[in-house]
Amino acid sequence: MEGLTLSDAEQKYYSDLFSYCDIESTKKVAANGRVLELFRAAQLPNDVVLQIMELCGATRLGYFGRSQFYIALKLVAVAQSGFPLRVESINTVKDLPLPRFVASKNEQESRHAASYSSDSENQGSYSGVIPPPPGRGQVKKGSVSHDTVQPRTSADQQEPASPVVSPQQSPPTSPHTWRKHSRHPSGGNSERPLAGPGPFWSPFGEAQSGSSAGDAVWSGHSPPPPQETWDQTTVRTVASATAANEIRRQSSSYDDPWKITDEQRQYYVNQFKTIQPDLNGFIPGSAAKEFFTKSKLPILELSHIWELSDFDKDGALTLDEFCAAFHLVVARKNGYDLPEKLPESLMPKLIDLEDSADVGDQPGEVGYSGSPAEAPPSKSPSMPSLNQTWPELNQSSEQWETFSERSSSSQTLTQFDSNIAPADPDTAIVHPVPIRMTPSKIHMQEMELKRTGSDHTNPTSPLLVKTSDLSEESKINSSVKFASGNTVADGYSSSDSFTSDPEQIGNNVTHQRSHSGTSPDNTAPPPPPPRPQPSHSRSSSLDMNRTFAVTTGQQQAGVVAHPPAVPPRPQPSQAPGPVVHRPVDADGLITHTSTSPQQIPEQPNFADFSQFEVFAASNVNEEQDDEAEKHPEVLPVEKASDPASSLRVAKTDSKIEEKTAASVPANVSKGTTPLAPPPKPVRRRLKSEDELRPEVDEHTQKTGVLAAVLASQPSIPRSVGKDKKAIQASIRRNKENNTVLARLNSELQQQLKDVLEERISLEVQLEQLRPFSHL
Amino acid sequence: MAVCVAVIAKENYPLYIRSIPTENELKFHYMVHTSLDVVDEKISAMGKALVDQRELYLGLLYPTEDYKVYPSHQLCRYGYVTNSKVKFVMVVDSSNTALRDNEIRSMFRKLHNSYTDVMCNPFYNPGDRIHSRAFDSMVTSMMIQVC
């Protein structure tokens, strides 16, 4: 071949082209196919191409060696310039512009047409084709869509660095003004070296891939940018480097030009780390400014890139924002025009969880990234925050549910308590069965019935039922107590009774078992202190019931028995015993109750014994009746005041002790008090018993007490100053009642505090959750 | 409906001024310039420590004046000053619709927000002319609202 002298630019250009065609990397031979494509892209008539090929000697050789290739290229340039094709022209023609290749590639050809028309089409014009000689206007044709305003770097193009990863397709917008603008200067600058197929990635000082990048560029880099750059000879000769790999990647054609590949992303992330080690942190604006300024983009463009990428306008870049910005810079350097709006693929995810919350970066994901900083309301993602709030709300709701459950269970608590209460039958607590309490035996019976009945809810109705049932059952005794308690409650105070009744009933039911032992001793339990007394019903209610029940039954006996030194308990147990039993019997309960309390001090003693015996032997009720009868006779007045007070005290105590338990005895006590003063002492005993036994063990206690009473009673010197004893007993009982009530009071206070604390805590939780509900 | 929007820096030089293209822009520039005096007057009249949104809005600066080009138009100038003494002046054409005060306020609010966004850009040096495209687009939206 004739000697071929090439200018530097040409040399470079041709070498690039050759390497492009040298798909087999032989460095010697250019692939025919490629060459042909190239020639086709030159837009020369076929005959001219053939001529060229012939001239360059390829036909002779059958392949395109480097020299042939170069000659061919030169001839192409000659032909394009309009010079006749002559072998000698390759050297003779001076200042031959570099051959232009238009949309040479197959696909590019097709795209080429399209690209002309559509700006957005990247691939079009020069996809992968040799960059047109700088300054050639044809670039315009090809690049079309691209207006890369590559600021011209006056410096010679460095070796073709693979274009930085740039989106395959140019951004649609890109006014052409840029291009033209830039083109002008470059226009005539044919010498401008074609740096390489693509823009370089300078700023990051990465090693520039060598000419091989060109290959990559050729093959992979179909997008116009390369052309653009050449076209305008504005190839940025930046120390490309990193871009190379990414650029190759880029070759994997994305439909979305703005998509970030994994490698790119990784690269961005690494860069991010150099500035901000914490991936979840921010890059402050100043640091980002420095960093991106290195890219040598004009400040204006950088400003625009910033505008686009700083999604939340907080003056700082999150990882995703940074990646988007970086990507835009890369694209810009590759000649893509910046979009007016941030492409979707670059948008950072907006997770509006919290203003400052930084959503973790999702590597490899271009879509949404958590964008910390307050997202302005315009930013959609209220959903995530909502999503977050939901679980909290759910939790809160659950909490509420639990709370409600708790609240609803409060009653159960009392019931439980009541259930727990009647633990020991042996407990000494002998509640003076305030026979008085129960307006009548009927009540007590009712109460019993109630107790026995499964229905705890309705004190009134079940009462009747229960009383009947109670009477029937063997548990009548215990049930009687319950029933008595209930009945007492009923008769006692309608208001309270209801609430406490269930408890009492429950208690009674539970107590029944325990009371079974004592019941026989006790007369039909005076209508159990109405459950209604939630205040002290807890602990004392049962007791009250029991006590009342016991006292009612035992009033006569218990009362009398107690005054003696024997711990009041036993006495009351006795008294309640018969009293309890009394109510069971429908007969004369009223009288029984009425009498029993009254007779507390004295008669009970008598009655108790007899009653106890009778009870033990047979029908409690009857005995109770007897006792009751006896009781009324005794101590009609003396105890009036005392019993009343004691009863009341007992009531309160019982209440305090346990809502349920207390209610019963309270009821009982209540029931007794109205009956008459005399019963009061009896009640007091009951109360004292109840008070003494804050727990439900009353019943058991009562039984024990009853037994004790029974035992003690006989020993008690009745004869000896009954009055004295009565008085003393009453005093004692009062004291006991006082103590019991005081204890109940304290316990209830404690419970109240606990409940209040719970309430406060729940309210706090609600308040904490409330704000989230607003989001 | 604004026919002209201007952002004046603290030192009373324009950072951004833009009018609807069909106008004689110079006239608008003059109008804005004269408005500055009124703005300064209002600023000085206001209390020193008043930093209230309301205070930022200065309201109608100048009585309406006929618009030469379109005699039917009446131009009203509104002013708004930020805490950093950056002034926004807006000339509106009130012939078409009588813009309520609230609308003007909202327009200024948008302006202010866009201006802060521009400020947040680390690549923006305070005192430079504003080239932000977002800002431009926002102003454009304001200008072509009614016309």
Side-chain angles (χ1 to χ4, degrees):
Chain A
M1 301 292 308
E2 300 80 353
L4 189 62
T5 59
L6 296 174
S7 64
D8 289 345
E10 288 177 341
Q11 182 73 25
K12 281 202 182 122
Y13 188 42
Y14 292 172
S15 66
D16 291 339
L17 289 172
F18 185 81
S19 31
Y20 174 68
C21 294
D22 189 9
I23 50 179
E24 292 174 356
S25 299
T26 62
K27 302 279 197 294
K28 289 278 178 58
V29 176
N32 285 353
R34 281 284 167 83
V35 173
L36 289 175
E37 286 177 357
L38 207 57
F39 290 163
R40 249 173 290 168
Q43 291 182 333
L44 296 171
N46 277 348
D47 54 346
V48 173
V49 172
L50 287 173
Q51 196 175 3
I52 290 171
M53 286 173 62
E54 191 178 2
L55 283 174
C56 73
T59 49
R60 262 185 295 122
L61 297 176
Y63 60 91
F64 275 99
R66 188 175 281 268
S67 58
Q68 282 80 33
F69 188 75
Y70 287 179
I71 292 170
L73 291 176
K74 191 87 184 210
L75 287 173
V76 167
V78 168
Q80 285 177 341
S81 306
F83 294 99
L85 281 180
R86 295 284 185 274
V87 175
E88 55 275 6
S89 60
I90 56 178
N91 284 332
T92 57
V93 179
K94 302 286 190 251
D95 296 333
L96 197 61
L98 292 173
R100 297 192 303 270
F101 294 89
V102 183
S104 59
K105 290 313 162 132
N106 333 330
E107 47 197 3
Q108 285 146 16
E109 285 179 352
S110 59
R111 276 183 260 167
H112 177 59
S115 67
Y116 282 163
S117 52
S118 72
D119 278 352
S120 56
E121 186 172 2
N122 225 349
Q123 311 285 346
S125 28
Y126 295 95
S127 50
V129 177
I130 307 152
R136 290 284 169 102
Q138 69 183 33
V139 167
K140 169 70 172 142
K141 295 183 283 186
S143 50
V144 172
S145 53
H146 248 350
D147 14 278
T148 50
V149 184
Q150 298 291 344
R152 272 285 146 90
T153 58
S154 58
D156 290 333
Q157 308 299 5
Q158 314 330 333
E159 40 293 348
S162 49
V164 180
V165 184
S166 54
Q168 291 293 332
Q169 300 177 11
S170 62
T173 55
S174 61
H176 288 254
T177 56
W178 284 103
R179 197 190 317 154
K180 291 178 193 149
H181 202 42
S182 58
R183 224 174 281 134
H184 287 327
S186 63
N189 186 359
S190 59
E191 293 177 358
R192 181 165 294 254
L194 292 174
F200 299 116
W201 186 250
S202 65
F204 310 87
E206 305 188 49
Q208 198 175 0
S209 55
S211 55
S212 60
D215 296 340
V217 175
W218 294 120
S219 52
H221 197 71
S222 53
Q227 295 172 342
E228 290 294 338
T229 57
W230 297 321
D231 177 17
Q232 305 157 1
T233 70
T234 59
V235 178
R236 277 255 201 120
T237 62
V238 190
S240 55
T242 58
N245 294 336
E246 296 166 348
I247 291 167
R248 293 208 194 97
R249 292 330 170 338
Q250 187 132 41
S251 58
S252 57
S253 50
Y254 291 95
D255 292 336
D256 178 5
W258 296 108
K259 206 159 168 191
I260 300 180
T261 65
D262 287 344
E263 294 84 4
Q264 293 173 358
R265 181 141 189 116
Q266 194 51 47
Y267 175 68
Y268 300 156
V269 172
N270 293 337
Q271 290 295 319
F272 184 94
K273 283 186 192 158
T274 62
I275 307 176
Q276 163 72 276
D278 178 17
L279 286 181
N280 285 337
F282 292 88
I283 287 188
S286 51
K289 177 177 179 178
E290 293 170 19
F291 183 79
F292 285 115
T293 308
K294 284 191 266 178
S295 70
K296 301 220 177 52
L297 283 176
I299 295 291
L300 200 56
E301 296 184 18
L302 290 173
S303 172
H304 187 59
I305 288 174
W306 177 276
E307 251 180 47
L308 292 175
S309 58
D310 186 8
F311 206 78
D312 45 17
K313 301 278 185 274
D314 59 351
L317 295 181
T318 68
L319 181 59
D320 287 311
E321 290 175 345
F322 177 83
C323 290
F326 209 126
H327 200 62
L328 287 170
V329 174
V330 167
R332 196 78 191 90
K333 296 192 76 81
N334 282 339
Y336 288 93
D337 282 330
L338 294 176
E340 289 296 332
K341 282 182 15 171
L342 192 65
E344 264 204 19
S345 55
L346 293 180
M347 271 203 204
K349 286 200 180 110
L350 300 176
I351 297 185
D352 224 356
L353 293 180
E354 282 132 34
D355 292 344
S356 56
D358 182 357
V359 180
D361 159 48
Q362 301 180 14
E365 214 170 352
V366 178
Y368 275 13
S369 65
S371 139
E374 62 283 336
S378 56
K379 290 194 177 171
S380 58
S382 56
M383 283 317 296
S385 60
L386 284 178
N387 292 336
Q388 279 198 349
T389 60
W390 283 127
E392 293 166 355
L393 288 176
N394 291 337
Q395 291 166 10
S396 65
S397 63
E398 293 168 5
Q399 291 166 0
W400 284 120
E401 292 170 359
T402 57
F403 177 76
S404 62
E405 290 171 8
R406 263 182 257 142
S407 59
S408 63
S409 66
S410 60
Q411 288 196 348
T412 60
L413 286 177
T414 59
Q415 293 175 4
F416 282 128
D417 291 340
S418 64
N419 291 333
I420 297 173
D424 310 27
D426 297 334
T427 51
I429 295 180
V430 178
H431 304 283
V433 180
I435 300 175
R436 273 334 272 297
M437 273 181 32
T438 60
S440 62
K441 270 192 197 172
I442 299 174
H443 276 286
M444 293 180 67
Q445 290 173 354
E446 292 173 351
M447 304 273 302
E448 291 175 358
L449 290 175
K450 236 204 295 187
R451 302 274 167 60
T452 54
S454 60
D455 186 2
H456 294 266
T457 56
N458 190 351
T460 51
S461 58
L463 269 178
L464 298 175
V465 177
K466 282 188 180 177
T467 51
S468 60
D469 295 339
L470 286 172
S471 59
E472 296 172 357
E473 296 174 1
S474 59
K475 294 178 187 175
I476 289 174
N477 300 331
S478 57
S479 62
V480 166
K481 293 174 195 170
F482 291 106
S484 62
N486 288 336
T487 54
V488 169
D490 291 343
Y492 210 59
S493 58
S494 57
S495 60
D496 295 339
S497 61
F498 280 90
T499 58
S500 58
D501 277 345
E503 299 169 356
Q504 292 172 355
I505 293 172
N507 296 339
N508 292 331
V509 172
T510 57
H511 290 309
Q512 289 177 3
R513 325 283 160 137
S514 57
H515 278 296
S516 59
T518 58
S519 58
D521 297 337
N522 300 334
T523 58
R531 285 249 176 74
Q533 299 154 9
S535 59
H536 53 257
S537 61
R538 294 252 178 91
S539 53
S540 57
S541 59
L542 267 183
D543 295 340
M544 299 303 285
N545 286 339
R546 266 186 260 130
T547 56
F548 292 132
V550 173
T551 53
T552 52
Q554 293 176 346
Q555 275 182 356
Q556 299 100 18
V559 172
V560 175
H562 293 318
V566 179
R569 294 218 184 124
Q571 295 174 359
S573 64
Q574 293 174 355
V579 174
V580 171
H581 293 293
R582 293 264 162 166
V584 175
D585 285 349
D587 41 336
L589 181 60
I590 296 175
T591 58
H592 167 71
T593 56
S594 59
T595 55
S596 59
Q598 293 169 357
Q599 301 156 1
I600 296 173
E602 301 169 12
Q603 291 187 357
N605 291 337
F606 303 101
D608 290 342
F609 292 128
S610 60
Q611 288 176 357
F612 289 141
E613 294 171 355
V614 176
F615 290 160
S618 61
N619 209 350
V620 175
N621 297 336
E622 298 170 359
E623 296 170 357
Q624 288 177 351
D625 294 339
D626 299 337
E627 294 177 1
E629 292 169 354
K630 297 175 188 173
H631 289 303
E633 303 166 358
V634 182
L635 310 174
V637 177
E638 295 175 356
K639 318 304 174 176
S641 59
D642 290 342
S645 61
S646 66
L647 279 173
R648 289 188 198 120
V649 173
K651 275 186 267 173
T652 56
D653 288 346
S654 63
K655 286 180 185 175
I656 293 171
E657 291 173 355
E658 284 180 3
K659 296 178 181 148
T660 58
S663 60
V664 175
N667 296 335
V668 175
S669 61
K670 287 180 189 170
T672 53
T673 45
L675 289 176
K680 287 176 189 175
V682 176
R683 289 198 207 113
R684 226 183 307 151
R685 299 208 176 196
L686 292 172
K687 284 185 208 169
S688 62
E689 291 173 1
D690 293 340
E691 296 162 7
L692 292 175
R693 273 207 247 171
E695 297 170 353
V696 184
D697 296 338
E698 297 168 4
H699 301 283
T700 60
Q701 293 171 354
K702 285 181 187 172
T703 57
V705 171
L706 284 175
V709 171
L710 284 170
S712 62
Q713 279 184 350
S715 62
I716 295 171
R718 296 171 213 150
S719 59
V720 179
K722 282 186 187 174
D723 295 341
K724 280 188 192 173
K725 287 180 187 173
I727 294 169
Q728 290 171 358
S730 65
I731 292 171
R732 213 177 304 121
R733 254 176 281 131
N734 289 339
K735 289 182 185 173
E736 291 162 2
N737 289 339
N738 288 339
T739 56
V740 174
L741 286 173
R743 203 183 322 145
L744 282 172
N745 186 20
S746 64
E747 291 180 7
L748 286 173
Q749 292 289 339
Q750 188 60 38
Q751 288 173 352
L752 176 63
K753 284 178 196 170
D754 293 339
V755 171
L756 285 176
E757 284 178 9
E758 289 176 2
R759 181 183 164 217
I760 290 170
S761 69
L762 287 168
E763 283 182 357
V764 167
Q765 289 175 359
L766 173 64
E767 285 305 321
Q768 289 172 353
L769 295 166
R770 189 166 288 164
F772 293 107
S773 63
H774 291 312
L775 291 175
Chain B
M1 185 94 119
V3 296
C4 174
V5 173
V7 178
I8 316 294
K10 182 175 173 184
E11 293 78 13
N12 288 337
Y13 63 85
L15 295 175
Y16 179 90
I17 182 160
R18 184 154 150 226
S19 330
I20 56 180
T22 60
E23 305 310 330
N24 181 359
E25 300 203 20
L26 195 58
K27 177 183 163 58
F28 286 118
H29 287 217
Y30 284 147
M31 289 173 69
V32 170
H33 199 268
T34 56
S35 311
L36 287 178
D37 285 336
V38 184
V39 170
D40 283 340
E41 188 183 328
K42 288 195 187 258
I43 293 175
S44 59
M46 283 189 337
K48 297 56 179 178
L50 294 175
V51 183
D52 186 3
Q53 176 81 26
R54 290 175 167 273
E55 311 303 339
L56 301 180
Y57 176 71
L58 302 174
L60 187 62
L61 297 174
Y62 211 78
T64 63
E65 117 186 10
D66 287 343
Y67 183 24
K68 301 288 168 46
V69 179
Y70 299 111
S72 62
H73 293 199
Q74 295 225 322
L75 300 172
C76 311
R77 278 163 286 177
Y78 291 90
Y80 182 97
V81 64
T82 69
N83 294 333
S84 55
K85 296 290 185 286
V86 173
K87 308 164 190 70
F88 302 104
V89 177
M90 180 171 6
V91 181
V92 298
D93 180 1
S94 59
S95 63
N96 293 343
T97 61
L99 285 176
R100 289 188 308 277
D101 195 53
N102 279 341
E103 293 177 10
I104 306 287
R105 282 178 192 269
S106 70
M107 289 163 80
F108 273 125
R109 208 171 302 123
K110 284 200 303 186
L111 263 176
H112 197 168
N113 287 337
S114 297
Y115 178 73
T116 47
D117 288 343
V118 169
M119 277 292 160
C120 283
N121 190 332
F123 298 102
Y124 172 78
N125 301 318
D128 292 350
R129 300 200 65 122
I130 296 176
H131 296 284
S132 159
R133 301 189 202 176
F135 193 84
D136 280 344
S137 60
M138 188 273 304
V139 172
T140 309
S141 70
M142 280 204 315
M143 288 177 133
I144 62 174
Q145 262 174 19
V146 178
C147 300

